[in-house]
Amino acid sequence: MLDPNLLRQQPSDLAARLRETRGFELDARALESLEAERKQIQVRTQELQNLRNTKSKEIGQLMGRVTRFNAEEDFDQADFCLSQVEQIKAQVAGFGDELKASEERLEAIRAELEAIALGIPNLPHASVPVGSDENGNVEQHRWGTPRRFDFKVLDHVELGARNGWLDGETAAKLSGSRFTVLRGPVARLHRALAQFMLDLHTGEHGYQETNVPLLVNADSMRGTGQLPKFEDDLFSTEVGESKRYLIPTSEVPLTNIARDTILEAEALPLRMTAHSMCFRAEAGSGGRDVRGMIRQHQFEKVELVTIAKPDESYAEHDRMTRCAEVVLEKLGLPYRRMLLCTGDMGFSATKTFDLEVWLPSQDTYREISSCSNCEGFQARRMLARFRNAAGKPELVHTLNGSGVAVGRALIAVMENYQNADGSITVPEALRPYMGGLEIIA
């Protein structure tokens, strides 16, 4: 969520920035009208509340005098005070309906303003290039040279199908489209990738391994920006009156660990990693990437999340992206780093680097990791703060990144390490996790 002062004080300027950078249309006039009404009704509501409190105090004082006069058996004075109490109660009743209506309207306006604020994307950092889609992204650097094959390259679906390792038909029978059953050494290779990534991030990169729930409440989804805007892309479950959401990424529970919390400065940066299942309805993906494991309803990721001080968050962003790059380098997978333009960034991000891995079957690079700095956007929703040098609570900055997507790493390993006979060479970094196995065939 953006700073409310931007919406209140600079709605027109904010609307222009959002239109130019995000292609997002903010109705500044409607916002200004709501804000003006809010101020007017809030002033009147406070006046009526103050009047009610004053009258309640007068009633209390008069009732005290009634008690005293009755004790003194001065019943005439007691009756006089009681008559005054009834007059004041009549006055309170006279403006009570207006006060109730004002309070209800004020609450409705606040809810409307909050709904508008929750639907506004984050503002891009000044270093982010302006663009409308992925064509505006800027390549930062490349690592590795794509392998040249002297035989026909197969994609991961063909490689997996030859030995029954990758089975989409059985998965469709069990669950429908965009699910996959893995068997044998490919299932083991998938598990090995996740273990390798966790060991690397915890042992060499200083992230704390964290096991998180796969079901979270609406507050957690709202805190990281999935709700209310992306509800159609989420899977949810209801038991009785309790509704929970299956996480689209472990960024959600990891980041929300800091929700409604004031952290000590010494605890930052707080670096966490988790291997988890992820669930996405892919409501807006149309018919893209329906073949194989590129875009699934259920997949696995090793996620990186950092809670940082504001003046350290961009150094942490570079560090996090580098941690994800090391995964690909140790696996020997060619990749490139892309700086996303304003129109291709995620809703909560202010700056994002994507890592794209080389897929021989497609003769192109495909996204395998996305590392974003959200600055205070999520923290403001979550009330996630730290105690600064002055001892005052201040919003933290939140960062998240894939370190990396396990299924897509499996695809990249299968395709880049394939052999002419359909076997797959196991990258050296994974052999300790495969019992020393060098080739799966």
Side-chain angles (χ1 to χ4, degrees):
M1 185 183 294
L2 296 177
D3 186 342
N5 289 326
L6 286 174
L7 278 75
R8 292 172 183 166
Q9 300 171 12
Q10 306 170 41
S12 297
D13 291 344
L14 177 60
R17 289 177 66 187
L18 288 167
R19 185 182 304 111
E20 177 186 354
T21 60
R22 289 287 204 164
F24 181 88
E25 291 297 330
L26 175 65
D27 191 338
R29 287 187 177 180
L31 198 58
E32 288 173 336
S33 177
L34 276 172
E35 181 59 23
E37 185 181 2
R38 181 196 67 79
K39 288 179 180 178
Q40 180 183 12
I41 292 180
Q42 184 165 309
V43 169
R44 180 56 180 161
T45 301
Q46 288 173 344
E47 289 175 351
L48 292 170
Q49 287 171 339
N50 290 336
L51 183 58
R52 179 190 60 190
N53 294 339
T54 299
K55 295 300 181 183
S56 295
K57 187 176 180 180
E58 288 180 19
I59 289 173
Q61 291 171 342
L62 285 168
M63 290 306 297
R65 293 171 66 184
V66 168
T67 301
R68 179 166 56 84
F69 286 137
N70 280 331
E72 296 173 355
E73 298 187 356
D74 190 348
F75 300 119
D76 290 340
Q77 286 297 326
D79 290 342
F80 177 73
C81 290
L82 284 172
S83 67
Q84 287 185 307
V85 167
E86 293 305 315
Q87 291 175 14
I88 295 173
K89 284 183 176 180
Q91 292 175 11
V92 171
F95 64 75
D97 289 343
E98 182 187 355
L99 174 58
K100 182 180 178 182
S102 292
E103 289 175 335
E104 289 176 350
R105 179 55 186 156
L106 184 60
E107 186 61 32
I109 292 173
R110 285 172 174 165
E112 197 170 345
L113 287 169
E114 182 181 23
I116 292 172
L118 287 173
I120 299 174
N122 203 353
L123 289 169
H125 188 265
S127 63
V128 175
V130 176
S132 58
D133 54 33
E134 61 185 15
N135 294 315
N137 298 342
V138 177
E139 183 174 322
Q140 303 289 288
H141 63 251
R142 296 189 182 197
W143 183 91
T145 302
R147 176 183 168 192
R148 309 188 83 166
F149 294 86
D150 57 4
F151 56 87
K152 181 185 176 183
V153 171
L154 302 180
D155 70 9
H156 70 284
V157 178
E158 295 168 313
L159 288 165
R162 293 178 75 175
N163 297 286
W165 294 335
L166 193 152
D167 188 348
E169 291 185 8
T170 298
K173 179 180 72 173
L174 299 174
S175 305
S177 62
R178 297 200 178 188
F179 292 90
T180 302
V181 170
L182 298 178
R183 297 190 184 93
V186 165
R188 186 179 184 182
L189 186 62
H190 185 269
R191 172 163 53 90
L193 281 161
Q195 291 177 321
F196 158 69
M197 294 174 200
L198 279 177
D199 286 351
L200 177 64
H201 293 316
T202 57
E204 297 185 24
H205 296 157
Y207 288 85
Q208 181 184 57
E209 184 172 353
T210 311
N211 192 294
V212 293
L214 302 182
L215 286 166
V216 297
N217 55 32
D219 286 342
S220 295
M221 284 293 190
R222 194 175 295 110
T224 45
Q226 278 75 24
L227 287 178
K229 187 173 178 61
F230 301 105
E231 183 151 15
D232 289 344
D233 205 33
L234 302 172
F235 288 108
S236 63
T237 115
E238 292 189 50
V239 179
E241 297 182 359
S242 177
K243 183 173 183 178
R244 292 185 176 86
Y245 295 85
L246 279 74
I247 61 171
T249 162
S250 55
E251 167 205 342
V252 176
L254 286 173
T255 308
N256 273 276
I257 287 173
R259 176 158 52 92
D260 296 324
T261 300
I262 300 177
L263 299 165
E264 294 303 322
E266 296 74 21
L268 303 179
L270 177 59
R271 302 182 181 119
M272 298 171 283
T273 184
H275 167 226
S276 76
M277 291 284 188
C278 305
F279 305 89
R280 295 185 186 176
E282 297 290 353
S285 64
R288 294 183 299 160
D289 298 320
V290 294
R291 179 174 170 81
M293 293 178 62
I294 291 286
R295 195 178 295 274
Q296 300 267 279
H297 290 311
Q298 173 187 307
F299 58 98
E300 295 179 39
K301 265 203 309 176
V302 172
E303 186 75 0
L304 305 174
V305 163
T306 298
I307 312 296
K309 298 175 186 176
D311 60 352
E312 296 177 353
S313 69
Y314 280 96
E316 281 293 324
H317 189 209
D318 290 335
R319 182 187 188 278
M320 175 181 285
T321 307
R322 181 61 195 144
C323 290
E325 288 177 339
V326 170
V327 173
L328 301 178
E329 291 174 11
K330 286 184 176 290
L331 292 173
L333 297 173
Y335 71 87
R336 64 180 183 178
R337 182 199 284 200
M338 304 293 291
L339 172 60
L340 298 195
C341 70
T342 56
D344 200 32
M345 286 196 311
F347 178 79
S348 298
T350 189
K351 185 174 183 177
T352 298
F353 291 117
D354 268 9
L355 302 184
E356 298 178 347
V357 70
W358 178 257
L359 293 186
S361 68
Q362 298 186 16
D363 196 35
T364 192
Y365 292 93
R366 295 299 303 268
E367 179 197 339
I368 194 169
S369 173
S370 189
C371 298
S372 299
N373 187 349
C374 300
E375 291 192 358
F377 187 82
Q378 294 176 329
R380 187 172 285 107
R381 289 170 170 244
M382 298 187 301
L383 280 181
R385 295 164 292 172
F386 77 104
R387 208 169 294 282
N388 62 25
K392 296 182 179 180
E394 180 181 344
L395 291 175
V396 297
H397 280 190
T398 62
L399 302 95
N400 64 80
S402 310
V404 295
V406 180
R408 292 196 178 187
L410 176 67
I411 292 169
V413 167
M414 290 175 69
E415 293 194 6
N416 282 280
Y417 283 89
Q418 65 180 289
N419 301 309
D421 61 358
S423 64
I424 299 168
T425 300
V426 177
E428 288 188 18
L430 297 180
R431 291 175 188 175
Y433 301 90
M434 296 287 290
L437 203 61
E438 297 183 4
I439 291 180
I440 57 176

